[in-house]
Amino acid sequence: MKQILIIGAGFAGLWSALGAARLLDQHKRDDVLITVLAPQAELHIRPRFYEPDVHTMAAPLQALFDAVNVRFVKGSAYHIDQASREVAYRQPGGIEARLGYDRLIMACGSLLNRPALEGFDLHAFDVDKIESATRLEEHLKSLAARPDSPARNTVVVAGGGFTGIETATELPSRLRAILGDKVTPRIVVVDRGTKIGAALGDGIRPAIEQASAALGIEWVCGATVASVDAGGVLLDNGEHIAANTVVWTVGFKANPLTEQITGERDRQGRLHVDGQLKVIGNPDVYAAGDVAYAACDEVGNFAVMSCQHAIPLGRYAGNNAAAELIGVAPMTYSQPKYVTCLDLGAWGAVYTEGWERTVSPPTDKAEAKQLKQQINSVWIYPPAADRATALAAADPLIPVA
């Protein structure tokens, strides 16, 4: 029996499995085994980790995998042997084992860049993984037991990109719920850009500025964090901000497993893929999600590290890996429409279309907030553990944006 092995059970890994299962079902083939290798049979809803109640943001996948005849293997990949077409992994408890493949789909996601800053490992928090986001939540709750002080009531968010902005704008309401309405939290965003929201462009900036003003969020632009300690942060301009909480949101990189795959990589470590999402120059390996440097269209736009792109990338990669093994025509990945819906906390949200992020209907901040809530609570969750429903949802031609 031929084998498709998928590393990762995130958005790209889940939808790779469903995409492959859908094609095999259409052609009534039962001679290809689909295996997902991951530490847990759960989809961690990473786009929501800036919200409270992070421990609830994991969707179980075992019943879904069972419904579509996908085998799940619990473990963490650590070595890829391309010559023998095998992946070595560690099971819970440290036991080592290997899995073979005819086609491998790299869907192992991305990691937060963790800088070698003094005090970072001891004192900084992040919302990168469900475990670290839960650690931050527990820390925030513990602040209520500390004496009232400016440092206790201050959070520094390092990075003014999507994650930093969504984290910062959610924090005022989170801290008031913990510390009480009599406390006025101080949220400070430190960003190397020279303007508020510089990384997101001019079109979306007015909404970020308005939300920041309404929520009392301060921005320190043109600066970076030089060191972190228990009492706050030192900036590269010499300013010290007293804060008991520092949240790092700066920069992401592809899973280091990509370094074991023959192929060209971009500066974030993502593997260059062709139109069918096969790693260029590698006959047996596909890439999807945050590890794929994939062209979305014919005018020079490439997928970003987001579930908006990971979901269709997975659908196409799974479809094409299965198609190659059973001798049917592959599909060319195409996702020309790009949208953003940026959560801005209690102020609302802002919706944009196009790579220039032009604010578009719904332009009303309340309507955009409703859309964001629907995206976060419905659209990005896995389909029901029903075979027909799940396979129908895996059609690569279903629009995501």
Side-chain angles (χ1 to χ4, degrees):
M1 180 174 285
K2 295 179 179 178
Q3 311 267 352
I4 297 174
L5 176 59
I6 301 164
I7 301 178
F11 292 101
L14 166 63
W15 289 100
S16 291
L18 294 178
R22 172 183 175 273
L23 189 77
L24 295 174
D25 181 76
Q26 285 183 329
H27 291 271
K28 297 179 171 55
R29 298 289 291 263
D30 59 3
D31 56 341
V32 178
L33 177 64
I34 305 166
T35 301
V36 173
L37 171 65
Q40 61 284 311
E42 295 178 338
L43 176 64
H44 291 175
I45 314 301
R46 192 183 191 186
R48 298 189 64 184
F49 287 173
Y50 65 93
E51 300 179 38
D53 300 321
V54 178
H55 64 282
T56 67
M57 296 172 187
L61 296 176
Q62 188 63 65
L64 175 57
F65 286 148
D66 290 343
V68 296
N69 298 327
V70 168
R71 178 177 65 154
F72 175 75
V73 174
K74 188 172 186 177
S76 299
Y78 68 89
H79 179 68
I80 301 169
D81 187 334
Q82 295 176 97
S84 63
R85 296 197 294 197
E86 289 185 322
V87 173
Y89 68 100
R90 292 186 179 90
Q91 301 172 352
I95 300 172
E96 296 183 354
R98 301 174 77 87
L99 288 167
Y101 65 84
D102 292 283
R103 293 297 178 270
L104 176 66
I105 301 178
M106 297 290 290
C108 41
S110 60
L111 303 171
L112 180 70
N113 277 319
R114 305 185 69 83
L117 293 181
E118 181 182 351
F120 179 87
D121 289 336
L122 287 176
H123 304 295
F125 296 86
D126 65 73
V127 292
D128 183 40
K129 303 297 181 186
I130 197 166
E131 296 83 5
S132 59
T134 300
R135 174 174 167 261
L136 170 62
E137 182 159 30
E138 291 171 349
H139 166 78
L140 292 176
K141 290 178 178 178
S142 76
L143 295 175
R146 301 190 186 189
D148 189 358
S149 70
R152 184 200 72 165
N153 301 337
T154 299
V155 179
V156 172
V157 177
F162 273 99
T163 304
I165 292 169
E166 292 193 325
T167 300
T169 52
E170 188 70 20
L171 278 167
S173 61
R174 292 182 70 177
L175 287 174
R176 287 192 181 95
I178 295 167
L179 303 177
D181 290 335
K182 293 182 180 180
V183 171
T184 301
R186 184 188 181 202
I187 314 299
V188 183
V189 179
V190 177
D191 188 58
R192 68 174 68 241
T194 56
K195 298 178 181 179
I196 290 176
L200 305 188
D202 295 337
I204 203 171
R205 179 177 299 115
I208 299 170
E209 292 174 337
Q210 292 168 31
S212 297
L215 298 171
I217 294 170
E218 304 172 32
W219 283 72
V220 178
C221 296
T224 60
V225 172
S227 65
V228 186
D229 57 55
V233 298
L234 178 66
L235 305 186
D236 62 351
N237 61 13
E239 179 183 359
H240 185 272
I241 302 174
N244 290 157
T245 309
V246 178
V247 185
W248 191 267
T249 69
V250 183
F252 292 86
K253 60 183 179 181
N255 190 304
L257 279 172
T258 58
E259 297 170 8
Q260 300 184 29
I261 298 297
T262 301
E264 185 179 354
R265 280 164 284 276
D266 76 343
R267 61 183 181 82
Q268 291 179 290
R270 298 183 298 172
L271 293 158
H272 285 233
V273 295
D274 62 19
Q276 284 73 53
L277 304 186
K278 181 177 285 191
V279 175
I280 294 174
N282 198 311
D284 307 318
V285 183
Y286 292 79
D290 289 359
V291 300
Y293 183 66
C296 296
D297 52 36
E298 297 179 352
V299 295
N301 295 308
F302 287 80
V304 299
M305 291 181 172
S306 73
C307 62
Q308 177 182 172
H309 286 119
I311 291 171
L313 283 168
R315 288 170 175 160
Y316 278 94
N319 178 91
N320 290 344
E324 188 175 22
L325 290 180
I326 66 173
V328 302
M331 300 176 70
T332 299
Y333 167 68
S334 177
Q335 193 177 358
K337 186 175 182 181
Y338 176 64
V339 306
T340 60
C341 194
L342 179 68
D343 198 346
L344 294 170
W347 182 86
V350 59
Y351 174 81
T352 70
E353 292 186 351
W355 292 92
E356 299 301 320
R357 299 196 179 97
T358 302
V359 177
S360 305
T363 54
D364 179 83
K365 61 185 182 182
E367 292 179 6
K369 182 74 170 186
Q370 291 178 344
L371 175 61
K372 181 66 172 182
Q373 291 171 337
Q374 185 175 20
I375 292 169
N376 277 6
S377 62
V378 180
W379 293 3
I380 62 176
Y381 275 74
D386 171 79
R387 183 176 179 83
T389 300
L391 296 183
D395 185 348
L397 298 181
I398 294 174
V400 173

